[in-house]
Amino acid sequence: GSMAGSSRYVVSFFHGKREDGAQVARHIDAFLESVPRLSRIVTACSLMERRLMDWGVPAEKVVRIPIGVDTRVFTPPSERERTEARAVLGIPPDRIVVGSFQKDGVGWGDGMEPKLIKGPDVFLAVVERLAREFPVFVLLTGPARGFVRRGLERLGIPHGHSYVGDHGELARCYRALDLYLITSREEGGPMALMESMASGVPVISTAVGMSPDLIEDGVTGALASPDDVTALVEKSLALLRDPGAAAGLRARARLAVAACDCRVVAHDQRVLAARQAGRPEQPEDLAEARQAPVRAEKVRRRQAMRAAHALRQAGGLRARIHHRDLAEQALRARHVIEPLRSQRAARSERQR
């Protein structure tokens, strides 16, 4: 149909390049023909932002707003929560759990025909090699996973497929993971990138979508080129072999993803809507809005550290409990802290 000249049009363009196939190329050409009539084009990642401008889209029309995640729902688990999640999902406690939560089959049926843009063939090649060195269990969610499930059965790799009904169930799946693999050849996000980072799950990803924006290689995750199975395997093994490095990476990733907190993203969307409507921008300072979740995460971590210290002092707990788990456990059960402090103070008073 036609676009009325007096109207303002905002569209989203999250992923795709001509090399992805003839059908995608036709869609891109049709989209570029419509650009003169568009007011704004929203994309989620800097990679796509640069691609749009390379195609000739004026820079002033391109707006980058990341895909948001609720960092209050997706949080790092305590050891108890991790154990409970595995029990509910039927995962043996001694397994290294690798996650893949997506749709990577063609259509909405059993998914036996792979959607190769999502890299299910690469995923199978990576987990096959990981399983040679660790007792791997693969946890899947999402529809049309038949190709991957059949591949895991052929390889003899234990796996489970969970059909989640809401964010709470999905968050529980993340609590069971040791590692999340993104093996796509093209992405707009994916959503699982932000959810994993917020949930304290180390991410090994191909350099697609938002991954290069959020992952600093070796600092907040690990990056590899698309189709580079060897690099994906080596970087996964490096993290699995060094739990200390993985713990630091989880904490840094959680801070990095705060920039994609859904409250920040909602603010960006409100500003864009105000501009399109010709209204003055909201008085709320954008930089302040973007820093709020980061500050909240830093406060959360300081509280966890104080709580862990109090528990250790009050109960004599030292190396028996992993520091991260103790901190998270204490933060989620802060009603325990004050009684322990009181007990310690009472003991000190009696000793005097």
Side-chain angles (χ1 to χ4, degrees):
S2 61
M3 293 183 177
S6 60
S7 300
R8 294 172 181 264
Y9 295 92
V10 177
V11 301
S12 60
F13 198 115
F14 285 112
H15 61 85
K17 54 186 185 296
R18 289 188 174 88
E19 294 82 355
D20 294 337
Q23 185 178 21
V24 176
R26 286 194 297 272
H27 283 304
I28 291 171
D29 290 338
F31 161 75
L32 292 175
E33 289 178 7
S34 72
V35 166
R37 301 188 293 278
L38 301 177
S39 176
R40 291 288 188 276
I41 300 155
V42 179
T43 192
C45 62
S46 58
L47 188 154
M48 197 66 239
E49 184 180 36
R50 291 191 299 271
R51 190 180 294 167
L52 287 167
M53 289 186 283
D54 288 344
W55 289 343
V57 177
E60 63 271 16
K61 289 194 174 188
V62 181
V63 179
R64 177 156 58 97
I65 299 178
I67 297 171
V69 63
D70 193 337
T71 60
R72 296 164 294 187
V73 172
F74 296 93
T75 59
S78 67
E79 186 61 29
R80 178 183 57 80
E81 289 171 326
R82 183 174 181 271
T83 300
E84 289 177 352
R86 291 191 172 204
V88 169
L89 295 165
I91 302 172
D94 61 338
R95 292 285 174 169
I96 297 296
V97 186
V98 177
S100 173
F101 303 165
Q102 62 175 4
K103 175 185 179 295
D104 53 17
V106 174
W108 293 94
D110 56 14
M112 299 305 291
E113 180 184 351
K115 189 176 181 181
L116 293 177
I117 200 74
K118 303 293 284 188
D121 52 331
V122 178
F123 179 82
L124 288 172
V126 173
V127 295
E128 179 184 15
R129 290 173 59 178
L130 295 181
R132 296 174 190 170
E133 301 209 25
F134 287 93
V136 167
F137 183 100
V138 174
L139 181 60
L140 307 172
T141 71
R145 305 305 308 268
F147 176 82
V148 169
R149 293 179 68 179
R150 181 175 61 182
L152 293 170
E153 289 166 3
R154 173 177 52 83
L155 295 169
I157 297 175
H159 61 281
H161 187 192
S162 179
Y163 293 90
V164 299
D166 54 38
H167 275 168
E169 292 181 13
L170 182 58
R172 182 176 61 199
C173 290
Y174 281 105
R175 293 182 197 126
L177 300 184
D178 294 294
L179 190 73
Y180 193 92
L181 277 178
I182 298 170
T183 59
S184 302
R185 295 175 170 95
E186 177 76 7
E187 279 288 355
M191 190 73 221
L193 168 68
M194 287 70 73
E195 291 168 347
S196 294
M197 294 176 73
S199 301
V201 180
V203 179
I204 312 295
S205 177
T206 46
V208 295
M210 289 176 60
S211 293
D213 293 334
L214 291 177
I215 294 179
E216 183 180 352
D217 192 30
V219 178
T220 56
L223 291 173
S225 299
D227 285 304
D228 193 341
V229 172
T230 297
L232 289 164
V233 170
E234 289 176 350
K235 295 189 177 197
S236 297
L237 289 175
L239 271 177
L240 293 175
R241 290 168 178 159
D242 190 348
L249 184 147
R250 283 192 294 263
R252 293 188 295 269
R254 170 82 184 176
L255 273 178
V257 82
C260 298
D261 183 272
C262 57
R263 291 159 290 179
V264 176
V265 173
H267 177 274
D268 290 355
Q269 292 170 339
R270 289 195 301 272
V271 170
L272 176 60
R275 289 175 181 170
Q276 290 306 110
R279 300 194 305 270
E281 293 185 16
Q282 302 298 318
E284 180 183 6
D285 180 70
L286 181 57
E288 172 67 18
R290 285 183 169 161
Q291 284 300 311
V294 177
R295 285 199 302 273
E297 176 60 17
K298 288 180 177 178
V299 168
R300 188 191 71 85
R301 289 174 64 188
R302 284 196 298 270
Q303 290 173 336
M305 298 299 285
R306 293 193 198 102
H309 177 73
L311 276 177
R312 287 198 302 273
Q313 292 295 313
L317 299 176
R318 294 286 180 180
R320 290 193 299 112
I321 301 178
H322 189 281
H323 189 266
R324 177 179 69 95
D325 298 326
L326 177 62
E328 294 295 342
Q329 177 186 355
L331 185 61
R332 285 168 170 74
R334 295 187 65 195
H335 62 278
V336 174
I337 303 302
E338 291 306 325
L340 286 173
R341 283 178 174 163
S342 298
Q343 291 171 15
R344 182 168 178 263
R347 285 199 302 270
S348 298
E349 188 63 31
R350 285 196 298 272
Q351 291 170 357
R352 289 180 190 155

